Coordinates of all heavy atoms in Angstrom, one line a residue:
R266 N -38.7 18.2 -0.4 CA -37.9 17.1 0.2 C -38.4 15.8 -0.4 O -39.6 15.6 -0.5 CB -38.1 17.1 1.7 CG -37.4 16.0 2.4 CD -37.4 16.1 3.9 NE -36.6 17.2 4.4 CZ -36.4 17.5 5.7 NH1 -37.0 16.7 6.6 NH2 -35.6 18.5 6.0
A267 N -37.5 14.9 -0.7 CA -37.9 13.6 -1.2 C -37.5 12.6 -0.1 O -36.4 12.6 0.5 CB -37.1 13.3 -2.5
Y268 N -38.5 11.7 0.1 CA -38.3 10.6 1.1 C -38.2 9.3 0.3 O -39.0 9.0 -0.6 CB -39.5 10.6 2.0 CG -39.7 11.8 2.8 CD1 -40.5 12.9 2.2 CD2 -39.2 12.0 4.1 CE1 -40.7 14.1 2.9 CE2 -39.4 13.2 4.8 CZ -40.1 14.2 4.2 OH -40.3 15.4 4.9
I269 N -37.3 8.5 0.7 CA -37.1 7.2 0.0 C -37.1 6.1 1.0 O -36.5 6.2 2.1 CB -35.7 7.2 -0.8 CG1 -35.7 8.3 -1.8 CG2 -35.5 5.8 -1.4 CD1 -34.5 8.3 -2.7
V270 N -37.7 5.0 0.7 CA -37.7 3.7 1.5 C -37.2 2.6 0.5 O -37.8 2.4 -0.5 CB -39.1 3.3 2.0 CG1 -39.0 2.1 2.9 CG2 -39.7 4.5 2.8
T271 N -36.1 1.9 0.9 CA -35.6 0.9 0.1 C -35.4 -0.4 1.0 O -34.9 -0.3 2.1 CB -34.2 1.3 -0.5 OG1 -34.4 2.4 -1.3 CG2 -33.6 0.1 -1.3
G272 N -35.9 -1.5 0.5 CA -35.8 -2.7 1.3 C -35.7 -4.0 0.4 O -35.4 -3.9 -0.8
V273 N -35.9 -5.1 1.1 CA -35.7 -6.4 0.4 C -36.8 -7.4 0.9 O -37.4 -7.2 1.9 CB -34.3 -7.0 0.8 CG1 -33.2 -6.1 0.3 CG2 -34.2 -7.2 2.3
T274 N -36.9 -8.5 0.1 CA -37.6 -9.7 0.5 C -36.6 -10.8 0.5 O -35.6 -10.8 -0.1 CB -38.8 -10.0 -0.5 OG1 -38.2 -10.5 -1.7 CG2 -39.6 -8.8 -0.8
T275 N -37.0 -11.8 1.3 CA -36.1 -13.0 1.5 C -36.9 -14.3 1.4 O -38.2 -14.3 1.6 CB -35.4 -13.0 2.8 OG1 -36.3 -13.0 3.9 CG2 -34.4 -11.8 2.9
T276 N -36.3 -15.4 1.0 CA -36.9 -16.7 0.9 C -36.3 -17.7 1.8 O -36.6 -18.9 1.7 CB -37.0 -17.1 -0.5 OG1 -35.6 -17.2 -1.0 CG2 -37.8 -16.2 -1.4
G277 N -35.3 -17.4 2.6 CA -34.6 -18.3 3.4 C -33.2 -18.7 3.0 O -32.5 -19.4 3.8
N278 N -32.8 -18.3 1.9 CA -31.4 -18.6 1.4 C -30.4 -17.7 2.3 O -30.7 -16.6 2.6 CB -31.2 -18.2 0.0 CG -32.0 -19.2 -0.9 OD1 -32.1 -20.3 -0.6 ND2 -32.4 -18.7 -2.1
M279 N -29.3 -18.3 2.7 CA -28.4 -17.7 3.6 C -27.0 -17.8 3.2 O -26.5 -18.8 2.5 CB -28.5 -18.4 5.0 CG -29.9 -18.4 5.6 SD -30.4 -16.8 6.3 CE -29.4 -16.6 7.7
I280 N -26.2 -16.8 3.5 CA -24.7 -16.9 3.5 C -24.3 -17.7 4.7 O -24.7 -17.4 5.8 CB -24.0 -15.5 3.5 CG1 -24.2 -14.8 2.1 CG2 -22.5 -15.7 3.8 CD1 -23.6 -13.4 2.1
R281 N -23.4 -18.7 4.5 CA -23.0 -19.5 5.6 C -21.5 -19.3 5.9 O -20.7 -19.0 5.0 CB -23.2 -21.0 5.3 CG -24.7 -21.4 5.2 CD -24.9 -22.9 4.8 NE -24.3 -23.8 5.7 CZ -24.9 -24.2 6.9 NH1 -26.1 -23.8 7.2 NH2 -24.2 -25.1 7.7
R282 N -21.2 -19.4 7.2 CA -19.8 -19.3 7.6 C -19.6 -20.2 8.8 O -20.4 -20.2 9.7 CB -19.5 -17.8 8.0 CG -18.1 -17.6 8.5 CD -17.7 -16.1 8.6 NE -18.5 -15.4 9.5 CZ -18.3 -15.3 10.8 NH1 -17.2 -15.9 11.4 NH2 -19.1 -14.6 11.6
N283 N -18.5 -21.0 8.7 CA -18.2 -22.0 9.7 C -19.4 -22.9 9.9 O -19.8 -23.3 11.1 CB -17.9 -21.3 11.1 CG -16.6 -20.5 11.0 OD1 -15.7 -20.8 10.2 ND2 -16.5 -19.4 11.8
N284 N -20.0 -23.3 8.8 CA -21.1 -24.3 8.8 C -22.4 -23.8 9.5 O -23.2 -24.5 10.0 CB -20.7 -25.6 9.4 CG -19.7 -26.3 8.5 OD1 -19.8 -26.3 7.3 ND2 -18.6 -26.9 9.2
Q285 N -22.5 -22.4 9.6 CA -23.7 -21.9 10.2 C -24.3 -20.8 9.3 O -23.6 -20.1 8.5 CB -23.3 -21.1 11.5 CG -22.8 -22.1 12.6 CD -22.5 -21.3 13.9 OE1 -22.2 -20.1 13.9 NE2 -22.5 -22.0 15.0
D286 N -25.7 -20.8 9.3 CA -26.4 -19.8 8.6 C -26.1 -18.4 9.2 O -26.2 -18.2 10.4 CB -27.9 -20.0 8.6 CG -28.3 -21.2 7.8 OD1 -27.6 -21.6 6.9 OD2 -29.4 -21.7 8.0
R287 N -25.6 -17.5 8.4 CA -25.2 -16.2 9.0 C -26.0 -15.0 8.5 O -26.6 -14.2 9.2 CB -23.7 -15.9 8.6 CG -22.8 -16.8 9.4 CD -22.8 -16.4 10.9 NE -22.6 -15.0 11.1 CZ -22.9 -14.3 12.2 NH1 -23.4 -14.9 13.2 NH2 -22.6 -13.0 12.3
V288 N -26.2 -14.8 7.1 CA -26.8 -13.6 6.6 C -27.8 -14.0 5.5 O -27.5 -14.7 4.6 CB -25.7 -12.7 6.0 CG1 -26.3 -11.4 5.5 CG2 -24.6 -12.3 7.0
G289 N -29.0 -13.4 5.7 CA -30.0 -13.7 4.7 C -29.7 -13.0 3.3 O -29.2 -11.9 3.2
I290 N -30.0 -13.8 2.3 CA -29.8 -13.3 0.9 C -31.1 -12.9 0.3 O -32.0 -13.6 0.2 CB -29.2 -14.4 0.0 CG1 -27.8 -14.9 0.6 CG2 -29.0 -14.0 -1.4 CD1 -27.3 -16.2 -0.1
P291 N -31.2 -11.6 -0.1 CA -32.5 -11.1 -0.6 C -32.9 -11.8 -1.9 O -32.0 -12.1 -2.7 CB -32.2 -9.6 -0.9 CG -31.1 -9.3 0.0 CD -30.2 -10.5 0.1
E292 N -34.1 -12.0 -2.1 CA -34.7 -12.4 -3.4 C -35.0 -11.2 -4.2 O -34.6 -11.2 -5.4 CB -35.9 -13.3 -3.2 CG -36.5 -13.7 -4.6 CD -37.8 -14.4 -4.5 OE1 -38.6 -14.1 -3.5 OE2 -38.2 -15.2 -5.3
D293 N -35.6 -10.2 -3.7 CA -36.0 -9.0 -4.4 C -35.4 -7.8 -3.6 O -35.2 -7.8 -2.4 CB -37.5 -8.8 -4.4 CG -38.3 -9.9 -5.0 OD1 -38.1 -10.2 -6.2 OD2 -39.1 -10.5 -4.3
V294 N -35.0 -6.8 -4.4 CA -34.7 -5.5 -3.8 C -35.7 -4.5 -4.4 O -36.0 -4.5 -5.6 CB -33.3 -5.0 -4.2 CG1 -32.9 -3.7 -3.6 CG2 -32.2 -6.1 -3.8
W295 N -36.3 -3.7 -3.5 CA -37.3 -2.8 -3.9 C -37.1 -1.4 -3.3 O -36.3 -1.2 -2.4 CB -38.7 -3.3 -3.5 CG -38.8 -3.6 -2.0 CD1 -38.7 -4.8 -1.4 CD2 -39.1 -2.7 -0.9 NE1 -38.8 -4.7 0.0 CE2 -39.1 -3.4 0.3 CE3 -39.4 -1.3 -0.9 CZ2 -39.4 -2.9 1.5 CZ3 -39.7 -0.7 0.4 CH2 -39.7 -1.5 1.6

Side-chain angles (χ1 to χ4, degrees):
R266 178 174 290 186
Y268 300 85
I269 299 180
V270 182
T271 300
V273 299
T274 71
T275 58
T276 58
N278 293 327
M279 304 285 287
I280 288 177
R281 292 177 61 83
R282 179 167 62 87
N283 297 332
N284 294 318
Q285 294 182 336
D286 288 339
R287 285 294 304 163
V288 182
I290 300 170
E292 178 187 28
D293 303 297
V294 182
W295 53 265

